[in-house]
Amino acid sequence: GNHSSCKRPILLCIVHMPEAMSHQRFLTILSVLWASSAAFKLLDVGAPRAGTQTMYDAMRILGFNPLHTGVSREIRPPLCDYLFGNGRLEDALATLAAFDGAMDEPVMLMYEEVMAAFPEAKFLLTLSDAESWFNSTVELARTMSFNRAVMSVPDPLDELDRNSWKFLCSGMKSWGCNFENSSAEEKETCLQNYARHNERVQEVIPPERLLVYNWSDGWAPLAHFLGTAIPEEEFPHEDAVKSRNEEREVEALRSFGLAAVE
């Protein structure tokens, strides 16, 4: 069959977009998801490392139960198989049934499907400077690579077929990104696809359903957009993934007597 390696119209993709979903299939999906459709409220369509951990923490403070697919990686296979393999849309959307929000790779790529399946859902786009975003992700990849080397843990992606959904569904490989040993051409492709994604979500999602969010704005626009009260708690700015990897790096260095003692 015609195995598409990508269901997104990004520069990397040389395949055609899939044919429009049939009306009957659309109704079937809606009926399957009817019970949970009212519950799902917000999809963060920003790229990984564009503040998804902070938004996860903010949503929890606001009383939501969000899914961070960059952290809860065990829940990703149906999403990955749908986007980059031959998986079913119903199975991918069913992963959201227990949550009222979601963010990070790969669910942030499914904004059109979520928009159709959850008519009341809203969307959030957090913008970061492209160069800063790329450098932040490179730094995280460097730390994770160091930790794997110290612990003698192989990179699981090394054994994967480069066209497999498991490979394409990690580290924004679907955008042509390579955060560990990026050539100038790879970096340019990655940054172009990052920019194109941010442009396209603003073209496709109706403005009344999309909040383009600036981190300096704090609680007010977010709470207003979601219809919640403004929390008394300070707006979070935690990067748990980066912090955890940096802690592991320090521990590894200490084990070799290389870390500065505070």
Side-chain angles (χ1 to χ4, degrees):
N2 180 21
H3 180 86
S4 166
S5 64
C6 180
K7 292 190 173 75
R8 288 293 161 272
I10 57 177
L11 297 176
L12 180 69
C13 298
I14 56 173
V15 296
H16 295 295
M17 283 288 286
E19 293 180 7
M21 190 188 310
S22 72
H23 182 65
Q24 185 57 48
R25 186 172 183 219
F26 178 66
L27 291 177
T28 301
I29 292 169
L30 284 185
S31 65
V32 168
L33 295 166
W34 188 257
S36 61
S37 64
F40 192 83
K41 296 181 174 67
L42 183 69
L43 177 66
D44 181 346
V45 295
R49 307 298 306 153
T52 53
Q53 181 63 45
T54 298
M55 189 52 60
Y56 174 85
D57 293 339
M59 289 186 68
R60 287 179 62 86
I61 292 170
L62 289 170
F64 286 78
N65 177 35
L67 167 66
H68 192 306
T69 55
V71 175
S72 300
R73 300 179 74 88
E74 71 283 353
I75 210 165
R76 289 167 63 151
L79 299 166
C80 297
D81 194 16
Y82 165 70
L83 284 165
F84 307 112
N86 294 312
R88 301 191 318 152
L89 175 59
E90 294 90 330
D91 295 336
L93 290 172
T95 64
L96 305 178
F99 305 93
D100 51 16
M103 65 277 294
D104 214 87
E105 183 182 23
V107 73
M108 35 73 74
L109 297 172
M110 290 185 58
Y111 51 93
E112 288 180 273
E113 291 86 345
V114 170
M115 190 164 52
F118 306 110
E120 301 301 314
K122 293 183 176 183
F123 300 83
L124 177 91
L125 175 62
T126 52
L127 295 177
S128 296
D129 170 73
E131 194 75 26
S132 298
W133 168 77
F134 186 86
N135 291 337
S136 168
T137 313
V138 166
E139 181 60 25
L140 178 65
R142 184 200 66 79
T143 304
M144 294 175 69
S145 178
F146 174 85
N147 291 336
R148 283 196 302 269
V150 168
M151 295 184 288
S152 300
V153 176
D155 186 341
L157 295 180
D158 288 344
E159 304 299 319
L160 295 178
D161 177 349
R162 293 300 189 259
N163 292 314
S164 71
W165 61 260
K166 290 182 179 179
F167 181 82
L168 290 169
C169 200
S170 181
M172 295 316 301
K173 302 287 194 307
S174 61
W175 286 357
C177 300
N178 176 4
F179 296 114
E180 294 200 28
N181 297 291
S182 188
S183 67
E185 183 180 357
E186 285 174 325
K187 179 179 178 180
E188 182 62 23
T189 297
C190 180
L191 292 178
Q192 285 179 331
N193 283 323
Y194 170 81
R196 180 58 187 139
H197 170 80
N198 289 341
E199 291 166 3
R200 191 170 186 276
V201 296
Q202 294 177 80
E203 294 166 1
V204 170
I205 301 172
E208 65 273 13
R209 295 181 70 179
L210 176 67
L211 174 65
V212 180
Y213 183 74
N214 189 319
W215 293 111
S216 62
D217 292 340
W219 284 120
L222 185 62
H224 176 73
F225 183 62
L226 296 173
T228 65
I230 295 177
E232 294 182 9
E233 193 170 337
E234 186 177 344
F235 194 86
H237 290 287
E238 175 67 20
D239 189 343
V241 175
K242 185 168 183 277
S243 297
R244 189 163 59 246
N245 278 287
E246 287 177 346
E247 287 169 5
R248 287 174 180 164
E249 183 175 31
V250 169
E251 288 170 7
L253 288 169
R254 278 208 183 104
S255 71
F256 288 101
L258 298 174
V261 178
E262 297 178 1

